[in-house]
């Protein structure tokens, strides 16, 4: 005889589940103004442009704009070899207008209001106050913010620098990068690599980022960045001394959210939390009567998320599900 539990388990299939994978694969990008947009491109009433390929990028944005260069760093990661192959679906670009008295945080609220179909956020700003305003609002709005700064205060661990401020606030949703090469966004490259239908399957640590220049720092700067949970891109070499640069490999170091949590772990928790909520809504839509079998169905639907996590390498195989 087939058990009731088995019937409940097979009664719910993935085809019945709401597919939200594009949300995890999309990257939001916030900027101010429209100067990056090519003449003749019609800007929609919601000020949102959806860029899903290099062809679309070339057609919409000026190649010398910071927005173009940043978004290109996201898209180019799709050409990487595994395990650094990006799976981004599209970059959702919001062209905000910063009026008197408004902050970048206010612009993020506006962006969320018109198009919130993205899990990770990038911005064109690198000013400390703007980065902090966005980090606060990203946490409030339940989004993952990949920010970038190039302040010497961070490299030198000056008291109350932006990294220390965010760390002290225990901001769990901000991955902060330090990169000084002009017009290069390490943050954008990492967002492109980590964009994935199974968000968290690919982490930032030890990644090789296409079209981003690795930077060599002093041991003191490396220690300062590590102690502040700031991510950076540098060369590592098994051989010390001169004339051995051909043996060096560029990799991302740090790989922690600003509050100290492993970035891959945070992304996995973010992914599972969203999926669990989605499955609960799928259950409610069934409009089942309240009885034991209904509870079993809900449990089965939630277990399906965890089992998929095991299949996709997000949860240990020997975990009890």
């Amino acid at each position: 005889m087939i058990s009731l539990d088995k019937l409940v388990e097979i009664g719910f299939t993935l085809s019945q589940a709401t597919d939200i994978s594009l949300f995890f694969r999309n990257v939001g990008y916030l900027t101010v103004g429209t100067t990056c947009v090519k003449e003749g491109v019609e800007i929609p009433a919601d000020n949102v442009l959806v860029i899903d390929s290099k062809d679309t990028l070339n057609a919409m944005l000026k190649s010398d704009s910071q927005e173009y260069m940043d978004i290109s760093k996201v898209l180019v990661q799709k050409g990487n070899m595994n395990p650094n192959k990006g799976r981004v679906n599209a970059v959702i670009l919001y062209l905000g207008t910063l009026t008197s008295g408004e902050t970048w945080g206010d612009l993020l609220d506006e962006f969320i209001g018109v198009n919130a179909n993205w899990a990770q956020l990038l911005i064109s700003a690198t000013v400390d106050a703007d980065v902090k305003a966005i980090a606060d609002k990203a946490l409030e709005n339940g989004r993952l913010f990949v920010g970038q700064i190039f302040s010497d205060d961070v490299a030198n661990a000056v008291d109350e620098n932006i990294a220390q401020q965010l760390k002290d606030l225990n901001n769990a949703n901000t991955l902060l990068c330090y990169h000084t090469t002009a017009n290069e966004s390490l943050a954008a490259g990492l967002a492109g690599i980590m964009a994935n239908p199974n968000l968290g399957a690919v982490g930032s640590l030890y990644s090789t980022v296409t079209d981003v220049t690795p930077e060599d720092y002093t041991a003191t700067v490396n220690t300062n960045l590590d102690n502040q949970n700031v991510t950076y891109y540098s060369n590592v070499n098994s051989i010390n001394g001169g004339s051995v640069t051909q043996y060096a490999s560029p990799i991302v170091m740090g790989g922690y959210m600003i509050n100290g949590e492993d970035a891959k772990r945070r992304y996995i928790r973010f992914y599972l939390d969203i999926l669990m909520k989605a499955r609960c809504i799928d259950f409610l839509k069934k409009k089942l009567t309240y009885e034991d079998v209904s509870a079993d169905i809900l449990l089965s639907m939630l277990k399906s998320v965890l089992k998929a996590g095991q299949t996709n390498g997000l949860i240990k195989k020997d975990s009890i599900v």
Side-chain angles (χ1 to χ4, degrees):
M1 180 179 294
I2 300 175
S3 70
L4 178 60
D5 287 346
K6 185 65 176 177
L7 287 176
V8 168
E9 183 176 338
I10 65 177
F12 173 73
T13 63
L14 290 179
S15 61
Q16 295 173 285
T18 302
D19 183 4
I20 57 175
S21 60
L22 289 184
F23 169 77
F24 299 118
R25 294 177 60 199
N26 287 342
V27 174
Y29 190 103
L30 174 60
T31 192
V32 171
T34 61
T35 57
C36 63
V37 182
K38 282 186 171 181
E39 292 185 12
V41 174
E42 183 176 350
I43 300 174
D46 61 5
N47 293 323
V48 171
L49 297 176
V50 178
I51 301 173
D52 59 2
S53 68
K54 195 64 178 289
D55 288 342
T56 308
L57 178 63
N58 288 332
M60 290 185 172
L61 301 188
K62 299 173 183 176
S63 60
D64 60 349
S65 67
Q66 188 62 53
E67 293 82 357
Y68 178 100
M69 289 182 276
D70 290 351
I71 293 172
S72 70
K73 292 292 187 293
V74 177
L75 298 174
V76 75
Q77 309 308 323
K78 293 198 288 186
N80 294 350
M81 299 291 290
N82 286 327
N84 299 312
K85 184 178 179 63
R87 299 185 63 184
V88 64
N89 173 64
V91 177
I92 315 296
L93 171 62
Y94 183 66
L95 305 164
T97 301
L98 197 61
T99 59
S100 178
E102 279 192 321
T103 69
W104 277 71
D106 297 321
L107 293 185
L108 179 52
D109 283 337
E110 295 172 11
F111 189 4
I112 290 283
V114 296
N115 192 317
N117 190 19
W118 42 268
Q120 297 183 90
L121 172 68
L122 299 167
I123 62 174
S124 59
T126 56
V127 176
D128 289 359
D130 299 335
V131 170
K132 184 179 182 300
I134 289 292
D136 293 342
K137 282 293 185 177
L139 182 63
E140 181 181 315
N141 283 289
R143 294 300 188 277
L144 299 166
F145 171 46
V146 188
Q148 180 166 314
I149 40 84
F150 52 82
S151 169
D152 289 340
D153 287 351
V154 173
N156 297 322
V158 174
D159 287 344
E160 295 302 313
N161 71 68
I162 181 61
Q164 290 184 6
Q165 291 180 48
L166 294 176
K167 182 181 178 182
D168 291 344
L169 291 171
N170 199 33
N171 191 306
N173 282 15
T174 294
L175 176 66
L176 191 62
C177 302
Y178 177 78
H179 195 71
T180 64
T181 304
N183 302 321
E184 281 191 0
S185 178
L186 173 60
L190 288 180
I193 288 174
M194 294 187 291
N196 195 290
N198 301 301
L199 196 68
V202 179
S204 57
L205 186 61
Y206 305 143
S207 293
T208 299
V209 189
T210 300
D211 286 352
V212 175
T213 307
E215 298 179 336
D216 292 322
Y217 310 116
T218 66
T220 299
V221 171
N222 286 340
T223 299
N224 289 340
L225 297 176
D226 290 337
N227 289 341
Q228 296 173 104
N229 301 324
V230 175
T231 295
Y232 55 100
Y233 193 45
S234 193
N235 287 303
V236 295
N237 201 328
S238 58
I239 305 172
N240 66 317
S243 300
V244 291
T245 55
Q246 67 268 36
Y247 306 121
S249 296
I251 60 173
V252 171
M253 298 297 292
Y256 291 96
M257 308 305 286
I258 198 66
N259 69 339
E261 182 177 10
D262 180 89
K264 183 178 175 70
R265 179 183 177 87
R266 175 64 187 120
Y267 271 53
I268 291 172
R269 289 199 304 107
F270 178 90
Y271 168 79
L272 293 176
D273 179 64
I274 296 289
L275 277 188
M276 287 286 193
K277 292 174 181 175
R279 295 301 169 263
C280 287
I281 294 172
D282 288 334
F283 170 77
L284 293 175
K285 289 191 297 186
K286 290 178 176 290
K287 300 176 69 173
L288 300 175
T289 57
Y290 184 78
E291 52 189 44
D292 289 344
V293 68
S294 299
D296 288 339
I297 291 174
L298 175 59
L299 180 61
S300 174
M301 294 171 76
L302 296 179
K303 279 186 173 181
S304 72
V305 174
L306 301 179
K307 289 178 178 177
Q310 286 181 321
T311 300
N312 294 311
L314 304 181
I315 300 175
K316 290 182 179 180
K317 293 286 187 180
D318 57 357
S319 300
I320 298 175
V321 175

